[in-house]
Every structure is written in structure tokens, then in C-alpha cells.
Amino acid sequence: MKIKVGFGFDVHQLKDNHPFVIGGVNLEHHKGAFGHSDADVLLHAICDALLGAANLRDIGFHFKNTDPQWKGISSIILLKESVRLLKEKGWQVGNIDAMLCLEAPKINPHIPQMQKNIAEAIGISVEDISIKATTNEQMGFIGREEGVVAYAVCLIEK
């Protein structure tokens, strides 16, 4: 068996009165992430981790933010497509470990649904999806609620 580890990172600007989707969950908040797709920072970091582990470049290579095909698209679709690309190369996902960094809203109540959404999109157990959240202690652009950041690592196996 061959295994590889991947690392992903994503950041999105927060804007007033904009939808806020994280892990495929629509969050109630006065600000939301802005981007070409639904700007789901968590799923974008996971896609980058998976694609990177399989040496398939990154999310921007496959889903260009200048391509109207991806405008406003659910990042669940981008995650499913990333997993399809891995499977074409004979890889399967072992597990995901992710970290969100934002001041608000509180993420903890939404983690089980996020895990479920991601597990279903990838085709693995909820037990293999770890999501954690922290704040930036009111420092920097995260602390001022100007942006949101996500990090992810994954294990893939062949």
C-alpha cells in the first residue's frame, strides 16, 4: 500500500450581507465569504489538500475563478470532482483533518453537519473527518472579521 499526505490552505474575504457557507452549511451571520464560487473556505482547503497529495496541482488549476462554469457553484461539487480526479489515478481518501480560523459565528454547533456533508461527498465515514475551529484572538484581518481562513491535511492511499 502506498500513502501520501496533502496540505491545503484557503482564505476568503468577508463582506456584509453576503451568504456564508462553510462545509456545505449555510451559516447565519451578518457577513459572509466572498468568491467566484460559494467561497466555502473549508471545502477549498480540503480540495487543495487532496489534489496536492495526489500531485494533481491545486483547486485554481482545475476550477479557474475566471471560468463562468464555476461562478456561484456549490463547493460540494468541486469536492466531488476533486475526489473523482483522485480516483482516476487510483487513490482513495483515508482521512481529513481541518481547522477553521474565524472570530464569528461559532462553528461548533455546525460541525456534525459539516462532517456529514464532507463524508457523503467524498464517500468515507464521518469518523474520518475531523473539523476544529479557533479564533485569532481579535488580532489581524481575522480578528477584525475581514476574512476567514481554513487549513486541511489529508491522507490518501493506493
Side-chain angles (χ1 to χ4, degrees), residues 62-121:
H62 294 280
F63 315 109
K64 293 178 179 25
N65 66 3
T66 55
D67 187 339
Q69 170 183 352
W70 309 119
K71 179 75 175 157
I73 197 164
S74 166
S75 294
I76 290 286
I77 294 169
L78 303 182
L79 179 58
K80 287 179 180 179
E81 181 64 13
S82 296
V83 170
R84 185 191 66 75
L85 292 169
L86 262 67
K87 288 182 178 179
E88 281 182 358
K89 299 291 184 182
W91 293 103
Q92 61 183 15
V93 179
N95 76 302
I96 303 287
D97 185 18
M99 172 68 78
L100 289 159
C101 189
L102 70 165
E103 293 299 318
K106 294 294 183 193
I107 297 302
N108 194 46
H110 305 286
I111 288 175
Q113 185 61 52
M114 292 176 186
Q115 289 173 299
K116 182 177 184 288
N117 294 346
I118 294 165
E120 287 176 359

Side-chain angles (χ1 to χ4, degrees), residues 26-27 52 58 60 79-81 89 94 105 127 129 148 152 156-157:
N26 291 306
L27 303 176
D58 61 31
L79 179 58
K80 287 179 180 179
E81 181 64 13
K89 299 291 184 182
E127 297 296 316
I129 308 290
V148 57
I156 61 172
E157 47 197 13

Side-chain angles (χ1 to χ4, degrees), residues 10-13 18-22 24 26 32-45 47 59-60 62-79:
D10 197 37
V11 60
H12 279 278
Q13 182 181 13
H18 199 75
F20 203 0
V21 180
I22 298 181
N26 291 306
F34 179 77
H36 185 69
S37 66
D38 64 1
D40 190 325
V41 68
L42 176 62
L43 297 187
H44 293 182
C47 287
I59 192 171
H62 294 280
F63 315 109
K64 293 178 179 25
N65 66 3
T66 55
D67 187 339
Q69 170 183 352
W70 309 119
K71 179 75 175 157
I73 197 164
S74 166
S75 294
I76 290 286
I77 294 169
L78 303 182
L79 179 58

